[in-house]
């Protein structure tokens, strides 16, 4: 596979998850036909990230749009394979992020969380936005998106419903400005399980 066909920019939206007993967010199994595997997580984006890596894609960037009350702490699931090595460093910071999400995470703490996660997820950007400020999506993508030829994978699972519409519209415009070869859209639908033939 040529290098530019293998280069991916993953764009995810992260919403406010449903907390379970104040110990975290509800987790479900997301099944991927591409690998024949289900990944148990509360954030579909982390399952998609891990699946794309397993399929051999070079994830140049992972841009995650969310709000002050999004479940940013759930990004811990994206580095599940490294948790044993970094557990001591991680526990306090992840707990701090989780507690602040209830009232709204500060930009400073979100940046600290991003800096920590970037050690294990190169190209990660945590982008806190006002969901109803429509110009922010195009402007942010214009500034953040690589100029290298790439495929965009857009995960529209978790968010205010206007956010994926605005990002999809922005990508239509950006295809004339950036070197986007194609766009693939994923939606991790819990309600789709009855249509999957795999019993798992």
């Amino acid at each position: 596979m040529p290098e530019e066909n293998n280069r991916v920019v993953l764009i995810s939206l992260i919403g406010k998850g449903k907390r379970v007993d104040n110990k975290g967010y509800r987790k479900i199994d997301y099944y991927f036909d591409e690998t024949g595997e289900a990944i148990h997580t509360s954030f579909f984006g982390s399952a998609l990230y891990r699946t794309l890596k397993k399929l051999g894609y070079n994830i140049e960037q992972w841009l995650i749009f969310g709000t002050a009350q999004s479940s940013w702490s759930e990004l811990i699931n994206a580095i599940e394979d490294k948790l044993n090595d970094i557990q001591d460093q991680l526990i306090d910071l992840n707990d701090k992020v989780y507690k602040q999400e209830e009232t709204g995470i500060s930009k400073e703490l979100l940046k600290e969380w991003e800096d920590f996660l970037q050690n294990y997820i190169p190209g990660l950007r945590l982008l806190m936005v006002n969901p109803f400020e429509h110009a922010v999506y195009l402007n942010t993508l214009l500034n953040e998106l690589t100029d290298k030829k790439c495929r965009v994978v857009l995960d529209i699972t978790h968010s205010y419903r206007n956010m994926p519409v605005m990002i999809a519209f922005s990508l239509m415009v950006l295809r004339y400005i950036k070197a986007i070869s194609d766009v693939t859209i994923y939606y991790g639908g819990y309600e789709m399980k009855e249509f999957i033939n795999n019993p798992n």
Side-chain angles (χ1 to χ4, degrees):
M1 189 180 303
E3 187 183 336
E4 68 260 11
N5 291 337
N6 201 32
R7 187 183 294 125
V8 164
V9 173
L10 174 58
I11 301 173
S12 292
L13 303 164
I14 188 165
K16 185 178 179 182
K18 183 176 181 183
R19 293 190 174 210
V20 181
D21 299 329
N22 228 19
K23 295 178 182 171
Y25 295 91
R26 184 181 68 169
K27 294 187 176 184
I28 60 173
D29 292 320
Y30 290 109
Y31 176 79
F32 290 84
D33 277 336
E34 295 92 334
T35 59
E37 292 180 353
I39 297 179
H40 190 65
T41 182
S42 57
F43 176 45
F44 178 77
S46 64
L48 181 55
Y49 173 81
R50 286 161 56 190
T51 298
L52 292 173
K53 294 285 281 183
K54 187 166 191 173
L55 292 170
Y57 286 101
N58 170 24
I59 301 177
E60 179 94 0
Q61 296 176 290
W62 187 10
L63 310 177
I64 304 177
F65 287 84
T67 69
Q69 291 182 304
S70 290
S71 52
W72 300 104
S73 58
E74 292 304 302
L75 285 167
I76 194 172
N77 292 299
I79 55 170
E80 194 171 75
D81 58 329
K82 301 181 177 69
L83 293 185
N84 289 335
D85 302 330
I86 58 171
Q87 200 160 8
D88 292 340
Q89 299 168 264
L90 184 63
I91 290 171
D92 288 344
L93 181 56
N94 185 253
D95 191 48
K96 204 163 31 165
V97 171
Y98 177 75
K99 285 176 179 170
Q100 260 199 35
E101 289 164 356
E102 191 72 33
T103 53
I105 194 169
S106 67
K107 289 180 181 177
E108 294 75 21
L109 182 56
L110 187 62
K111 180 68 173 117
E112 186 180 349
W113 186 225
E114 178 188 76
D115 289 344
F116 179 83
L117 292 171
Q118 280 176 346
N119 293 314
Y120 310 97
I121 307 172
L124 177 72
R125 291 284 285 124
L126 306 183
L127 305 163
M128 185 164 53
V129 297
N130 175 340
F132 304 111
E133 190 182 328
H134 295 151
V136 74
Y137 304 104
L138 180 58
N139 291 338
T140 301
L141 287 170
L142 190 58
N143 291 326
E144 295 285 344
L145 205 62
T146 181
D147 290 320
K148 297 176 188 173
K149 187 172 184 182
C150 65
R151 304 170 66 176
V152 170
V153 175
L154 175 59
D155 156 30
I156 63 169
T157 307
H158 309 283
S159 69
Y160 286 95
R161 290 299 165 225
N162 65 304
M163 291 173 73
V165 173
M166 297 309 301
I167 289 177
F169 175 78
S170 300
L171 289 172
M172 287 168 57
V173 174
L174 288 170
R175 286 190 74 169
Y176 296 99
I177 302 169
K178 300 284 187 174
I180 298 171
S181 60
D182 61 73
V183 178
T184 304
I185 297 177
Y186 277 81
Y187 175 70
Y190 179 70
E191 66 276 9
M192 299 295 288
K193 63 183 178 178
E194 63 191 87
F195 301 107
I196 304 272
N197 292 325
N198 187 306
N200 299 315

